[in-house]
Amino acid sequence: MTTFAEARLDLVRRPGLDGPGRRAALTQSADVWLADLFAQAKALTSYSSSHLEDKANNEKVIALLEDAVKIDPQFAEAHAKLGLAYVIRLFLFAPQETDLQQKAYLAIEHAFRLNPNLAEAYEARGRLRWTAFNHFPHQDAIRDFRQALKINPDLRSANFQISKIYLGRGDTVLAEKYFKQGMVGGNPTAEMLLVGIRIARAQGDKNNESSYALLLRNKYPNSEEAKKLREEAGQ
């Protein structure tokens, strides 16, 4: 993929483009490139609501969003998504990279400074809080996820994060409540289906467990969640 710097260099060298025309072209190219970078990152993250619980996707999204915030340091949502990507990398793939926690914190705080009412920033901070590094403070994390939902009721991934917290604490009633709220609208991600499987299993609901498991295997056969399901089944 052509880098933004390469695209700018091509514009600078282009004959007949001088003064205000060149500046306008460079500004327009930055806007287009930024939108393209963020669109690519969002396309990758849409596969899983935990967004990056796939190592290759995680690395790609981080690279794309790091480029995006360099082009536009005022892009609050990109900072929030980048912070979340750092959290996932730290928690799942690179716990030895201890600087990721600070990078995540700074990216998320930058997002809040730019937009104090950004749902994605609250979701990212909830994920950062709900880690072993911060000793899993469930009340603080849930507060952030609920605030994210208050700002954007359609942010389904926040419902699933709350559901996962309650499931981990053994409260299957509240876990199921937030899971069902997250399922409104259909088209569940692989992570959502795995949460549903575990809730149904904890409640002894064989029908829902089988239904979610079948959907996960058919819709996301190569996902990390399907792999976890096979491991749990001893396959």
Side-chain angles (χ1 to χ4, degrees), residues 6 13 29 31 39 60 64 74 86-87 115 125 149 159-160 172 179 181 220 233:
E6 289 169 342
R13 290 173 173 170
S29 71
D31 291 343
K60 290 176 184 177
L64 289 167
Q74 304 302 308
Y86 286 143
V87 172
N115 185 351
R125 190 170 69 181
L149 287 167
N159 274 307
F160 284 103
T172 59
F179 173 78
Q181 288 177 4
Y220 305 104

Side-chain angles (χ1 to χ4, degrees), residues 22-33:
R22 176 175 294 170
R23 288 195 295 273
L26 288 173
T27 299
Q28 183 179 21
S29 71
D31 291 343
V32 171
W33 197 263

Side-chain angles (χ1 to χ4, degrees), residues 3-24:
T3 67
F4 177 67
E6 289 169 342
R8 284 177 65 92
L9 184 60
D10 176 66
L11 277 170
V12 168
R13 290 173 173 170
R14 191 173 299 173
L17 196 62
D18 298 308
R22 176 175 294 170
R23 288 195 295 273

Side-chain angles (χ1 to χ4, degrees), residues 31-102:
D31 291 343
V32 171
W33 197 263
L34 175 62
D36 183 58
L37 286 172
F38 196 62
Q40 290 181 59
K42 291 193 77 170
L44 286 172
T45 64
S46 67
Y47 179 67
S48 173
S49 64
S50 56
H51 112 192
L52 308 173
E53 299 193 7
D54 172 274
K55 190 172 184 179
N57 279 356
N58 180 265
E59 293 173 354
K60 290 176 184 177
V61 171
I62 286 176
L64 289 167
L65 290 173
E66 284 179 340
D67 281 347
V69 297
K70 286 177 184 176
I71 296 169
D72 184 358
Q74 304 302 308
F75 196 170
E77 188 177 355
H79 283 286
K81 294 286 190 183
L82 179 58
L84 180 52
Y86 286 143
V87 172
I88 300 299
R89 178 168 176 76
L90 174 66
F91 191 54
L92 291 182
F93 306 125
Q96 73 281 3
E97 295 181 25
T98 54
D99 65 318
L100 287 171
Q101 185 175 16
Q102 181 67 4

